[in-house]
Amino acid sequence: MVGIHSALVIGGGIAGLQVSLDLARMNVQVCLVERKPRLGGHTPLLYKVSPTMENAEELVKPVIQNVTQHAKINILSYSEIEEVAGSAGNFKVRVLKKARYVDEEKCTLCGECAKVCPVDVPREYEMKLGVRKAIYLPHPYPIPAKYLIDRENCLYFKDGSCHACREACPENAIVYEQKDKEEELQIGAIIVATGFKQYDARKAGQYRHGIYPNVITGMEYERLCSPSGPTNGKIVKVSDGTKPKSVAYILCVGSREENHGYCCRIGCLGALKHAYVLKTQYGDEVDAHICYIDMRTVGKKAEEFYREVRGSGVNLIHGQPSQTRERPDKSLTIDIYDQATSKLLSITADLVVLEVGLEPHVDLQEKLKIPLDDDGFFMVVHPKLATTETPLEGIFLAGTVQQPMGISETLAHASAAAIKALISMQK
């Protein structure tokens, strides 16, 4: 049971990490609840951060270390919010901590369990090029750094046919009988930092994402670029692992449309970064095409970065393709009307990268009872003057759950939410 002068932070991405750390440094007891068995959200899965091109994983590492080491922060990972009751200053929250089926105190990270596991599970965010086992150590930044069993894919839980990991574990740490646990919290303020999810690119059916293997999203492309990704940082054709001759990047997929009228704010710089990495890796051996509606490069150094990428030989096309067609060799053809030249172009690319829009994670809307705005984000008191405060007293928003924003904006917004939450608890 946590005291009423404490805060609940929901979400362990960079917004949740920052608000937790700020509150803890202001002497507030914090309970950080993250539904996944790791911290960091999307940021550690990136390769570089534009326009500075800093290593994304290294950027978030010290924040995670500070959070995990702070005495006033209690982290409940692999946990979900079950119920929220009460009001500002005295919320009562029930949290479900899911069973890991591994005794955390006994697990020594020897890895013998994973070595004998017969089940391969595709890593979804790596285009199914990378795999893990049904018993695995989450990556990156697992909290705690212990193995766990994926119940959905484990043969023991499917039909009882496999006990390989329990037999291989030298510490007897495998506990198939482990149960989910509930924890009751008494909380003074709640900060929602559940972040974003990518627009489902399959909804943009003209591009054939999920049908043609060489049509991928920007996040999947990030994993190709990353040394810790499935190709050890080599940008390749997904269909056969060979070097591409041409890559096309399509902006605003799922953004600035009838049902998603807002700008995602990160797509333009994301595409420029992706083309920059391609050119850095292959130079003039590979052609790069960026298809855009408008090129929006907001922020310090962003315009300079745009000019640098444009000067590197990247072909910028003012328009959106009509559809993607696959050729017998798995290369792709897209037709596009270039508004800058008034010409209809036909481009052949070995990879088509969809820079998709962002949608908020509002799965907790019914439990939190926060109304949604017209774009599907949690509603705030005022879109200009009070972007961290919801209409419900004592409940605040941090980061991209409120609106699309980049990393620096997210961190600043999270710190503002921490201040507002602290003020509410001092009333």
Side-chain angles (χ1 to χ4, degrees):
M1 179 78 70
V2 181
I4 60 174
H5 297 295
S6 63
L8 169 67
V9 178
I10 307 174
I14 57 169
L17 293 170
Q18 185 65 51
V19 74
S20 297
L21 195 56
D22 286 342
L23 284 168
R25 287 170 172 170
M26 292 185 288
N27 208 34
V28 174
Q29 188 68 41
V30 177
C31 182
L32 172 59
V33 175
E34 166 56 44
R35 63 188 179 88
K36 293 184 178 180
R38 64 175 187 86
L39 293 180
H42 289 88
T43 303
L45 301 178
L46 302 176
Y47 171 43
K48 300 282 188 179
V49 176
S50 57
T52 59
M53 300 306 289
E54 295 173 84
N55 183 288
E57 194 167 341
E58 291 299 318
L59 194 68
V60 76
K61 183 186 293 185
V63 181
I64 292 177
Q65 289 176 339
N66 288 334
V67 167
T68 56
Q69 294 170 5
H70 204 291
K72 285 194 169 292
I73 300 176
N74 176 36
I75 301 172
L76 296 180
S77 64
Y78 207 38
S79 301
E80 296 183 359
I81 304 298
E82 285 285 283
E83 184 181 20
V84 178
S87 57
N90 191 23
F91 290 106
K92 293 177 175 59
V93 181
R94 190 169 80 247
V95 180
L96 180 70
K97 190 171 184 180
K98 292 184 285 187
R100 303 169 67 95
Y101 308 107
V102 174
D103 188 322
E104 296 172 11
E105 295 184 0
K106 291 182 178 181
C107 178
T108 61
L109 297 176
C110 68
E112 294 300 320
C113 54
K115 290 179 183 177
V116 298
C117 178
V119 179
D120 287 328
V121 182
R123 294 184 186 272
E124 293 181 1
Y125 60 85
E126 293 188 333
M127 300 150 290
K128 300 183 179 180
L129 291 179
V131 297
R132 61 166 171 81
K133 294 297 184 177
I135 185 166
Y136 69 107
L137 180 67
H139 175 82
Y141 303 118
I143 298 295
K146 304 292 182 179
Y147 279 78
L148 64 86
I149 293 177
D150 173 4
R151 182 187 177 108
E152 184 178 345
N153 289 290
C154 176
L155 295 179
Y156 174 85
F157 290 102
K158 284 188 174 182
D159 55 22
S161 62
C162 181
H163 307 81
C165 59
R166 184 165 64 184
E167 294 170 358
C169 179
E171 304 298 328
N172 295 316
I174 308 302
V175 187
Y176 296 130
E177 300 77 24
Q178 199 176 79
K179 303 294 183 183
D180 297 342
K181 294 181 180 179
E182 287 189 349
E183 189 162 341
E184 300 285 341
L185 307 176
Q186 190 174 5
I187 296 294
I190 297 173
I191 301 93
V192 185
T194 47
F196 70 89
K197 56 185 176 182
Q198 293 189 96
Y199 175 80
D200 184 353
R202 293 172 297 181
K203 293 179 181 179
Q206 70 270 31
Y207 298 129
R208 303 295 193 269
H209 181 264
I211 298 174
Y212 298 160
N214 291 318
V215 178
I216 63 177
T217 67
M219 180 59 76
E220 292 168 338
Y221 182 88
E222 291 279 350
R223 300 309 299 155
L224 289 182
C225 297
S226 176
S228 64
T231 60
N232 298 315
K234 277 293 181 182
I235 301 169
V236 298
K237 294 168 60 178
V238 176
S239 59
D240 59 15
T242 61
K243 182 177 77 174
K245 296 178 181 178
S246 176
V247 180
Y249 308 89
I250 302 177
L251 284 165
C252 298
V253 177
S255 292
R256 304 179 65 193
E257 299 177 349
E258 184 176 350
N259 296 326
H260 296 84
Y262 52 86
C263 173
C264 75
R265 298 178 66 88
I266 63 171
C268 292
L269 278 173
L272 292 170
K273 175 185 68 174
H274 293 159
Y276 178 89
V277 174
L278 180 75
K279 284 294 186 179
T280 300
Q281 192 167 128
Y282 293 121
D284 293 336
E285 296 177 15
V286 178
D287 294 327
H289 310 276
I290 297 179
C291 307
Y292 68 97
I293 297 176
D294 297 302
M295 186 57 67
R296 298 177 174 181
T297 53
V298 180
K300 290 182 178 179
K301 304 296 183 182
E303 185 67 17
E304 293 95 322
F305 184 61
Y306 162 64
R307 291 173 183 170
E308 181 182 357
V309 173
R310 185 177 63 183
S312 69
V314 174
N315 185 24
L316 291 150
I317 305 171
H318 190 186
Q320 275 197 313
S322 55
Q323 64 178 7
T324 302
R325 301 186 303 277
E326 188 180 64
R327 303 170 73 179
D329 64 354
K330 301 298 181 182
S331 65
L332 305 156
T333 300
I334 56 176
D335 295 328
I336 181 170
Y337 178 75
D338 186 359
Q339 298 177 40
T341 62
S342 299
K343 293 181 179 180
L344 181 63
L345 306 177
S346 182
I347 296 172
T348 298
D350 292 313
L351 275 178
V352 169
V353 182
L354 308 179
E355 307 290 355
V356 299
L358 308 184
E359 297 179 326
H361 261 304
V362 292
D363 299 348
L364 293 174
Q365 196 266 332
E366 290 187 7
K367 294 174 182 176
L368 295 171
K369 298 179 176 60
I370 307 172
L372 303 180
D373 64 21
D374 292 340
D375 290 317
F377 291 81
F378 283 131
M379 187 176 290
V380 294
V381 171
H382 193 281
K384 295 292 185 183
L385 305 179
T387 63
T388 64
E389 301 167 66
T390 72
L392 302 182
E393 187 179 358
I395 301 182
F396 304 87
L397 305 179
T400 52
V401 73
Q402 187 266 319
Q403 69 171 24
M405 57 184 78
I407 291 176
S408 58
E409 294 172 289
T410 296
L411 295 174
H413 195 259
S415 292
I419 292 294
K420 292 291 186 178
L422 178 66
I423 292 172
S424 77
M425 288 185 285
Q426 293 177 338
K427 290 181 180 179

